[in-house]
Amino acid sequence: MENAGETRTAKTNFIKEIIDRDLSEGKFNGVHTRFPPEPNGYLHIGHAKSIVLNWGIACDYNGKFNLRFDDTNPSKEEEEYVKSIIEDVKWLGADFEDRIFYASDYFEKMLELAVELIKKGKAYVCDLSAEEVRKMRGKPGEPGVESPCRNRSVKENLNLFEQMCKGEFPDGSRTLRAKIDMAHPNLNMRDPVMYRVVRKPHHRQGGKWKVYPTYDWAHGLEDSFEGITHSICTLEFEDHRPLYDWFLDELGVYHPRQIEFARLNLGNTVMSKRKLLELVKEGYVDGWDDPRMPTISGLRRRGYTPSSIRSFCEEIGVSKYNGVIDIWVLENAIRNELNKTAERRMAVLDPLKLVLTNYPEGKTEEMEAVNNPEDEAAGKRKVPFSKDLYIEKSDFMENPPKKFFRLSPGKEVRLRYAYIIKCEKVVKDGNGKVKEVHCSYDSSTRGGDAPNGRKVRGTLHWVSAPHAFKAEVRLYDVLFTSREPDKVEGGRDYKESLNPGSKKVVNAFLEPSLKDARGGFRCQFERQGYFFADPKDSKPGTPVFNRIATLKDSWAKIMKRN
Ligand code: ATP
Ligand code: MG
């Protein structure tokens, strides 16, 4: 694991202010946080925010950070997700050392505590269906209706609960409910369900359990068992806090402090696990790690670095306000990093043949190219140059508008690291389409220097046609055209906003040095963007590149589309 602590900043936030106060008042002696994912999907950038926040706080206070699987629901959870989550958390650099826990390992202990509540007369077995429970819960400002089973004797409750645990009742037929207050202003306090009958095997426990705890019953206990000091969660759990407190108070066990913050919403994507699963299952994307997905595995495959994701999380900070962060904020995090660290290369994505008519036939020169203008230590490399070149189609216009400083008939441009050239002739095919441009080069301008007084505004990247090689390059764009796909107008499905142009595959011509690029290699294609050799599809000698981000943000373009 890389040294992730290096990218941390000591930025403060409202959560740290609460912790500072707790520590100075002696409420807690140290700091112990956790990340508690449910293994029912792959992690996404929202989870990254929670991981970086929790782990970062543990780092800042010299405390501890746990990874805990909240694996209380056997019907949607799978081992595949557990594996991917561990991999993603480690990749992000959040070090949980040997503290990896599973809520399912606490099932026994939770059951004992549930029995304790029954014995105290604080929990009862209820025969109502889920639908009836919901109906009788009432509304805000309107009390609920008590269950006819509410006043069962402790003895009867113990018996029935034991039978539930043995699997003697059908799924969903009975629940164990906390006996709190059916008229409580907070709906979460109206006799919430603690256990339901689900006679399904669990991915780690096998067929041992016939009842499973609800999130509300289990979550606070998990934090309590692990001695978590600050239980940091998203805003929707604010209303559940009184319930967690009630459980822990009734049981007389250790209490963490819960602090809520606003979840991350990112523009032009969706973050709900259900929707991400749907995109994968129905083939709208090529799997959980499709580089267009907001999943950690997708971002990793796109070419994002762990440090760029951590800086993004630090940059956006934490608040109590639910907003949407624009996707360019995330892209800028990787741009800023790769601008400093990535070597430059030349690649032509949409080629147009360019012939230097006065350049000797069969001659090759080695042009010296700077690997990274931001980092002298990256050194230089040689790029072959010859009579036949490729330039980008968009760098030539036969009838250019006024401010077009690239190539057009009669005009001069500089070829990066090579010569100043002048467009002499346009060669067209039978349909009148430009097939080739013929130029002359000025041999006195080697290296690209313009003699005194000569104004050459445009500099183009190029590759030498006989030396370049063809490679698959994938140009990715936002997955959804709408900034908030969940809110597309008229109640239409979020999938209607899928961007048909989110993946474009081109056969590009790359400079020969890229032939050695192994999966995992990152670089800047000059004037194009940052690219990543796909770790799955690249083979030695035939790299496949994913575009991580364009050079400048294309935000203006995205806004126009909306
Ligand atoms: P579910 O709907 O399945 O509960 P979830 O996204 O809440 O989805 P969890 O596995 O419960 O998934 O999330 C693990 C942790 O990540 C929780 O503590 C949750 O608060 C946090 N988390 C989830 N989504 C976000 C988000 N968008 N921003 C910040 N934190 C998040
Ligand atoms: Mg959740």
Side-chain angles (χ1 to χ4, degrees):
M1 198 180 297
E2 63 170 318
N3 183 0
E6 272 172 16
T7 48
R8 295 206 32 73
T9 59
K11 232 162 110 179
T12 189
N13 58 45
F14 80 92
I15 297 179
K16 288 199 207 170
E17 281 162 17
I18 295 174
I19 296 177
D20 287 338
R21 224 175 307 131
D22 282 351
L23 293 177
S24 70
E25 287 171 5
K27 272 210 180 91
F28 300 99
N29 294 324
V31 171
H32 198 152
T33 59
R34 85 290 180 259
F35 172 63
E38 188 183 349
N40 61 352
Y42 279 59
L43 296 184
H44 54 60
I45 184 75
H47 295 118
K49 174 173 175 171
S50 173
I51 294 166
V52 171
L53 176 64
N54 278 290
W55 166 77
I57 283 176
C59 286
D60 291 344
Y61 290 90
N62 246 325
K64 288 181 177 154
F65 166 73
N66 292 2
L67 172 61
R68 180 209 311 141
F69 286 99
D70 216 326
D71 55 349
T72 52
N73 180 359
S75 38
K76 286 190 201 155
E77 295 166 4
E78 287 170 28
E79 204 53 39
E80 176 197 347
Y81 300 136
V82 171
K83 263 181 63 188
S84 76
I85 289 171
I86 294 174
E87 188 187 349
D88 289 350
V89 175
K90 281 190 173 164
W91 180 77
L92 273 175
D95 192 358
F96 47 84
E97 298 171 288
D98 57 352
R99 285 182 307 281
I100 175 163
F101 299 108
Y102 296 85
S104 53
D105 288 340
Y106 306 140
F107 280 176
E108 209 96 42
K109 229 160 142 183
M110 288 176 186
L111 211 68
E112 280 168 27
L113 293 175
V115 169
E116 217 178 294
L117 282 190
I118 297 175
K119 285 184 182 158
K120 274 182 81 176
K122 298 288 182 173
Y124 62 95
V125 171
C126 179
D127 305 347
L128 296 174
S129 67
E131 183 54 30
E132 287 165 324
V133 169
R134 196 162 36 242
K135 271 198 192 140
M136 290 164 73
R137 206 156 79 130
K139 295 191 182 100
E142 202 181 282
V145 179
E146 291 188 356
S147 162
C149 314
R150 201 171 196 261
N151 295 315
R152 274 183 170 141
S153 70
V154 168
K155 199 169 154 218
E156 194 184 356
N157 280 322
L158 286 173
N159 270 333
L160 284 171
F161 189 52
E162 194 183 340
Q163 282 173 278
M164 272 171 73
C165 293
K166 284 186 176 153
E168 289 170 17
F169 302 124
D171 281 23
S173 59
R174 284 190 157 91
T175 55
L176 183 73
R177 295 176 70 180
K179 192 169 174 179
I180 308 179
D181 180 359
M182 285 307 290
H184 201 286
N186 181 341
L187 265 64
N188 293 307
M189 302 294 274
R190 295 185 183 173
D191 292 10
V193 171
M194 296 163 61
Y195 280 94
R196 49 215 144 73
V197 178
V198 184
R199 293 172 308 169
K200 274 209 178 101
H202 184 275
H203 66 105
R204 292 188 83 243
Q205 301 274 327
K208 189 169 165 191
W209 304 98
K210 314 294 176 201
V211 297
Y212 286 91
T214 57
Y215 183 87
D216 275 344
W217 164 241
H219 196 79
L221 290 178
E222 294 159 24
D223 282 339
S224 174
F225 295 157
E226 289 173 22
I228 299 303
T229 57
H230 296 86
S231 170
I232 301 169
C233 62
T234 41
L235 288 180
E236 66 272 26
F237 293 103
E238 198 163 9
D239 290 346
H240 296 239
R241 180 161 21 108
L243 175 58
Y244 302 158
D245 287 342
W246 186 88
F247 281 134
L248 300 179
D249 285 342
E250 286 298 332
L251 295 166
V253 296
Y254 167 81
H255 254 241
R257 177 201 281 279
Q258 176 171 309
I259 307 171
E260 304 88 10
F261 71 100
R263 61 172 50 231
L264 165 66
N265 297 304
L266 192 62
N268 298 82
T269 192
V270 292
M271 216 94 96
S272 131
K273 283 187 202 165
R274 182 181 65 72
K275 289 176 185 163
L276 295 175
L277 181 68
E278 185 174 52
L279 294 174
V280 172
K281 286 255 153 92
E282 293 179 14
Y284 292 99
V285 293
D286 311 321
W288 285 101
D289 69 346
D290 184 301
R292 292 167 292 178
M293 289 281 271
T295 50
I296 311 266
S297 47
L299 293 167
R300 174 163 65 231
R301 183 138 183 227
R302 176 84 166 250
Y304 274 82
T305 57
S307 46
S308 65
I309 294 179
R310 291 195 303 266
S311 336
F312 166 73
C313 296
E314 297 267 340
E315 162 87 25
I316 58 173
V318 282
S319 78
K320 285 253 183 200
Y321 167 75
N322 267 323
V324 179
I325 302 283
D326 288 328
I327 191 102
W328 58 260
V329 182
L330 177 63
E331 290 183 356
N332 273 344
I334 188 72
R335 272 189 203 108
N336 291 340
E337 180 177 313
L338 293 182
N339 179 44
K340 292 188 208 105
T341 59
E343 294 198 355
R344 276 52 168 174
R345 295 289 184 268
M346 289 201 281
V348 173
L349 303 183
D350 187 13
L352 172 65
K353 189 83 177 283
L354 186 150
V355 180
L356 296 176
T357 47
N358 60 338
Y359 195 89
E361 195 80 48
K363 178 176 170 176
T364 301
E365 283 181 87
E366 296 280 324
M367 299 306 186
E368 196 161 71
V370 174
N371 279 332
N372 184 354
E374 304 282 324
D375 176 15
E376 219 176 298
K380 294 182 174 171
R381 71 185 186 286
K382 299 273 206 272
V383 187
F385 184 83
S386 70
K387 185 182 180 75
D388 295 313
L389 307 168
Y390 288 118
I391 62 164
E392 216 66 59
K393 231 176 230 156
S394 58
D395 280 337
F396 174 79
M397 273 183 100
E398 195 176 8
N399 300 301
K402 239 188 173 157
K403 290 211 163 143
F404 187 77
F405 298 119
R406 288 165 277 168
L407 196 63
S408 57
K411 293 281 165 53
E412 284 191 330
V413 293
R414 181 185 293 104
L415 293 180
R416 184 97 158 132
Y417 304 122
Y419 296 101
I420 291 174
I421 61 165
K422 185 175 179 183
C423 177
E424 309 284 0
K425 193 177 146 195
V426 181
V427 181
K428 294 185 179 171
D429 64 13
N431 300 321
K433 253 182 78 189
V434 178
K435 208 173 81 182
E436 280 179 19
V437 285
H438 288 188
C439 299
S440 58
Y441 87 110
D442 180 345
S443 60
S444 70
T445 58
R446 191 181 154 137
D449 294 332
N452 277 349
R454 191 153 148 195
K455 260 209 190 123
V456 180
R457 300 276 298 263
T459 299
L460 311 187
H461 63 277
W462 50 271
V463 292
S464 162
H467 299 95
F469 73 103
K470 255 192 186 176
E472 179 179 333
V473 175
R474 299 154 179 172
L475 306 174
Y476 293 111
D477 196 356
V478 287
L479 190 51
F480 292 90
T481 54
S482 163
R483 184 166 183 264
E484 294 182 75
D486 295 323
K487 293 187 186 159
V488 283
E489 277 158 43
R492 286 178 299 142
D493 188 84
Y494 74 99
K495 293 193 293 297
E496 287 189 33
S497 136
L498 273 164
N499 176 9
S502 61
K503 178 183 178 182
K504 223 173 105 191
V505 180
V506 298
N507 270 314
F509 283 104
L510 312 186
E511 68 166 72
S513 73
L514 284 168
K515 204 139 188 128
D516 301 331
R518 295 297 168 114
F521 173 79
R522 289 180 185 84
C523 66
Q524 182 193 102
F525 289 172
E526 294 218 27
R527 302 177 64 228
Q528 302 283 7
Y530 295 100
F531 288 79
F532 181 60
D534 190 282
K536 273 195 185 164
D537 299 332
S538 296
K539 304 274 175 310
T542 48
V544 172
F545 282 94
N546 299 333
R547 181 169 69 198
I548 311 170
T550 52
L551 279 190
K552 277 186 224 127
D553 67 72
S554 43
W555 192 240
K557 231 171 51 201
I558 294 171
M559 290 305 282
K560 249 189 241 155
R561 275 204 306 245
N562 275 336

